[in-house]
Amino acid sequence: MKLTFLGSSHGVPAADRYCSSLMVEIGESTYLIDAGAPIIDCILRHGKTPMDIKTIFTTHSHGDHINGLHHYIDLVDWYYKEAEIDVFMTNEDVSNAMIHMLEVLRGAPYHADRIRMHIAAPGEVWNDGTLRVTYIPTRHMEPRASYAILLEAEGKRVLVTGDMSWKMMKHDFPTIVAEEELDLVICEMAHFGVPELTPYFETCKAKEMWITHVWPPEKFEDIKALNGKYSYPVYTAHDNDVIEL
Ligand SMILES: [Zn+2]
Ligand SMILES: [Zn+2]
């Protein structure tokens, strides 16, 4: 499994960082987690086209996780006619708004046979024999839905936390991190800092931790100081960083 950070910024892009998106490659299959970056531009720069992308999974419907999606599906709709895409949204109203925008721009019904919009629910949402995807609820957007995402492929298990509650006040760090062996955890750090996450770091059974979505920038130093503290290494994600498992 190969994971590439297309965007590693928090809610706002920076000069060298797009907002959240992660490209996941497993053999010949490619998937995206979140679409806060201009994902059409990003995948082209990584040598992919929409014909290569099978599925887009979103963690929640804040703009920094989905604002690149509309541009992408618009191009699949009218230009990349050989492309098909399954898209997992977390809220029906946002999914409907995306579809409405497509149809307004085109002045015609969108290609629902090739652009398949789904509303995610807790539990397994996808298993194509290559990748199994499980949505784990978080409380980041309550009362609206938001999720962490568990990826399982090639005997590897990866948890992407998505965004979680402010200052971790709702204790919504997925318990799987302490309960089960994971090869990799990709954790956000815009809504809390190292002190709030320390109890979770201490019980984490992952082999490797990457921190993304970092804000404010002073936290980069706090994250660097974590190295050597736990049984697993802790890295900070930058755009175009690649993790091979
Ligand atoms: Zn975010
Ligand atoms: Zn958010």
Side-chain angles (χ1 to χ4, degrees), residues 23-245:
M23 182 165 73
V24 180
E25 293 170 80
I26 304 157
E28 297 299 304
S29 300
T30 305
Y31 312 84
L32 300 180
I33 312 290
D34 279 334
I39 53 171
I40 181 65
D41 307 69
C42 293
I43 64 156
L44 293 172
R45 286 170 198 195
H46 284 274
K48 306 279 185 187
T49 74
M51 278 69 81
D52 300 311
I53 310 297
K54 281 183 103 165
T55 319
I56 300 172
F57 303 96
T58 64
T59 58
H60 64 293
S61 55
H62 276 152
D64 60 313
H65 297 255
I66 62 167
N67 277 347
L69 182 60
H70 188 267
H71 190 194
Y72 185 92
I73 57 176
D74 175 52
L75 286 164
V76 170
D77 194 34
W78 75 268
Y79 183 74
Y80 293 102
K81 290 194 162 55
E82 287 167 27
E84 296 184 18
I85 188 75
D86 285 282
V87 181
F88 282 82
M89 305 298 293
T90 52
N91 297 91
E92 195 154 14
D93 52 1
V94 180
S95 178
N96 291 340
M98 288 266 170
I99 292 166
H100 183 61
M101 184 73 167
L102 282 183
E103 298 194 327
V104 168
L105 291 181
R106 271 176 58 85
Y110 81 112
H111 292 96
D113 55 332
R114 294 191 295 105
I115 300 169
R116 297 180 288 268
M117 305 295 278
H118 309 273
I119 308 303
E124 181 180 307
V125 303
W126 178 265
N127 189 347
D128 60 4
T130 300
L131 173 66
R132 179 168 180 243
V133 177
T134 304
Y135 270 54
I136 300 170
T138 65
R139 302 177 68 187
H140 172 64
M141 275 188 87
E142 267 183 345
R144 291 169 70 74
S146 65
Y147 297 93
I149 293 181
L150 177 67
L151 308 171
E152 294 172 282
E154 298 177 326
K156 304 287 182 186
R157 307 178 83 212
V158 176
L159 182 82
V160 179
T161 66
D163 288 5
M164 295 178 283
S165 60
W166 182 248
K167 300 276 185 197
M168 199 46 78
M169 285 195 293
K170 294 176 180 170
H171 310 288
D172 52 338
F173 205 108
T175 55
I176 188 174
V177 167
E179 292 164 354
E180 297 181 26
E181 303 272 337
L182 297 167
D183 294 279
L184 168 68
V185 172
I186 297 175
C187 179
E188 73 119 336
M189 203 181 277
H191 301 91
F192 34 74
V194 167
E196 292 95 340
L197 284 196
T198 297
Y200 304 96
F201 286 150
E202 283 173 352
T203 56
C204 177
K205 288 185 174 177
K207 293 184 182 143
E208 200 174 327
M209 168 93 66
W210 283 67
I211 309 289
T212 188
H213 216 50
V214 177
W215 182 83
E218 299 83 71
K219 286 184 191 164
F220 286 117
E221 285 305 312
D222 301 344
I223 297 164
K224 218 187 261 176
L226 287 174
N227 261 300
K229 268 189 117 169
Y230 304 111
S231 58
Y232 49 86
V234 182
Y235 303 105
T236 309
H238 299 85
D239 286 20
N240 304 315
D241 278 351
V242 172
I243 307 170
E244 303 244 21
L245 292 176

